[in-house]
Amino acid sequence: MKYFTRLTLKNKIFISCLSFVLLVSIVIGLFTRSLLISSLTGELQKRGIGIAQGIADSSRVYILTKNRAELTALAYEARLGNRKDIVRYLIISDEQGNILAHTFTTGFSSKVQAMIEHQDMTREHVIEAEVANYSVFHAMVPVTEGIYTIGSVHIGLDKHHIDKLISDLRLVFLSFLSMVSIIFFFLSHRLALLITRPVSSLIQYTDQLRDGNFNILSSQNLKDPVIDAEYQEDEISKLTDSFIKMTARLKRSTENLTDSQKKYRSLFKSGPNPIFVVNKQNFHILDANPNATQLFGYTRQELLHMNLIDLMAGEDRFNQTEAADQARVIGSKVKFSKKDGATVFVNVHASPSEYRDESVLIVAATDITELVEKDTQLIQASKMANLEKMSAGIAHEINQPLNVIKMGSEYLTMMREKKRSVKAEDMDLVVTEISSQVTRAAEIIGRLKSFSRKTDFSRDVIDINACAQSVYKIIGRQIALQNIELSMDLDSRLPRILA
C-alpha cells in the first residue's frame, strides 16, 4: 500500500483500471467455470441414467431367463460408438445382487461387488466412486417388471471426460484473459495519459502558488494555452478555468488580508489599554501589546511563557466559562500582580477571534486602580460621616456597660469601707456582670473599629445573613432611639456568595 501511494497519478489510474479489469475477468471466469462444471456433471449424469435406462428396458426378458450371453452382448454394445469415451464399465445384476453380465476384462473387483450389494435396488441414483483406479459416477437404474424389481443396471461414467473438457475450457479462458489484459493494458495507459496530461499543466500554477507568487496570471511562461484545443470542452479544462479564476480571487483576498493584518497590528500595538491574545481553552498568552509589558513590568517574551491566570493576585479569579462566544466583560475589578509585586485593578473584556488557525480570545485589560482608590476613599468618608451621625446612639450604647461596671465597683467599695463582708454569691454575681459588660463594651468598640477601618478591595465568600446582623448591631440602637422598630426575617437557606 505504501508503494502504491508513492506512485504518480498516471500510474495509479493505470494500475487501478488494469487491476479492476483483471479482477472482474477472474471472477467471471471462476463463476463460469463453476457453472460449466455443474452443468457438465449434471448432463453427464443424465446421459448415463439414459443409457442405463435403455439397457434396462432391453434386458428385462434376458434377466428373467438368466440369459447371460445376451446380457453380456447388451453390456458391450453400450460401450460402442461415441459412448466408449464416457462409459467406463457396465454391470447387470438380478434382484439379489448377483452379477449376470459385466464389461470388466481384467477381473471383477470385490469393491464393486460390495457396492452393488449395499445399494438400494428400488430407485435410480448416482454416486461418486473409485473403481479400478478410475474416478467415476456410478449410476444405478432398477429393472422392473410390473410392480416388481427383477434386477438392476449399473453404469460407470468416466469423470476424466469432464476433466478434459474443463482443461480445454481453462486454456480458452486463459487465452481470453490474456487478450483482455493486453487490450486493457493499452486502454488504461491511454486513459491515464488523457486524464493526467491536462492536470500536469496545473502543476505550474500550484508550484508558483506554493512559492507565494500570486502574479502567475501575468507570468510570461504561462501565456501559452494551458489545455490543448482538443481538450477544451472536457471537465479538466473547466477545472483549469476555475483554478485560474480561483487564483485571481485568492490574490485579491490575500491583498485584503494583508491590509487587514496591517490595520490589526497597528491597532494592537497602539491601543491605549493592555491587550492580550490568549488561548480560548487554557488562557495561555500567545501575544501581548507594548502597553501590557509597560503596565505589568514583564517583557513580551516573558509574557509569552505565562498564563493570564498567573497574573492574577491570590484567589482573585474571573469565571473562565463566561468567555465563550461573544464579546463581554468577564471580570470586573480583578486584581492583577505586577512583576515587582505591586497590585493593580483592571476590568477584563474578552472577545472571541481566530489567531494563526487557533481559537483565541482578545482580552483587553482596562486599568482602574485610580478609580478603585477613589471609590475606597469615598466609601471611607461616607463611613466617617455616618459614624458621626450615629455617635449619640453609640455613646449611649457604650455608657450602658460602663454604668453597670461603675455600679458593681461602687458596691464593692462601699462594702469594703463599711468593713462588711460580701457574700460569695453576691461577689460572683458582681464579678460575672462586670466581666460580661466589659466583653460587651469590647464588642461595641470592635464593631466600630471594623466599620471605620479603611479596607483593601478584595473578593471573599460571605454570608448575607451575617452581614445584615452585623449592620444591625451597629445601627440597631440608633434606630431604636428614633422610635423605629426593626424586625428581621432572615432565611437560613440562603447560599454564600462571592463578593
Side-chain angles (χ1 to χ4, degrees), residues 36 52 55 75 115 129 161 197 224 319 344 374 416 423 457:
L36 285 174
I55 298 298
M115 183 172 57
H161 179 70
R197 188 170 72 176
D224 297 332
N319 187 1
V344 291
K374 290 180 180 179
R416 183 178 59 80
K423 295 180 181 181
F457 178 82

Side-chain angles (χ1 to χ4, degrees), residues 194-195 197-199 201 223-242 244-245:
L194 289 174
I195 294 176
R197 188 170 72 176
V199 173
S201 62
K223 286 184 178 180
D224 297 332
V226 178
I227 306 296
D228 294 341
E230 58 179 310
Y231 304 113
Q232 289 180 355
E233 297 300 326
D234 61 16
E235 290 78 2
I236 300 298
S237 63
K238 294 178 181 179
L239 174 63
T240 304
D241 184 62
S242 298
I244 294 173
K245 293 178 181 179

Side-chain angles (χ1 to χ4, degrees), residues 99-154:
I99 305 301
L100 300 178
H102 63 82
T103 60
F104 287 100
T105 59
T106 59
F108 193 75
S109 173
S110 59
K111 182 178 180 180
V112 176
Q113 178 68 45
M115 183 172 57
I116 294 173
E117 291 176 354
H118 291 87
Q119 283 186 342
D120 184 5
M121 297 292 184
T122 61
R123 60 183 182 85
E124 61 183 35
H125 57 271
V126 179
I127 61 173
E128 292 188 28
E130 291 287 335
V131 177
N133 298 324
Y134 291 101
S135 295
V136 298
F137 290 112
H138 183 88
M140 192 282 294
V141 175
V143 180
T144 60
E145 181 65 33
I147 61 174
Y148 299 101
T149 300
I150 61 174
S152 61
V153 176
H154 303 264

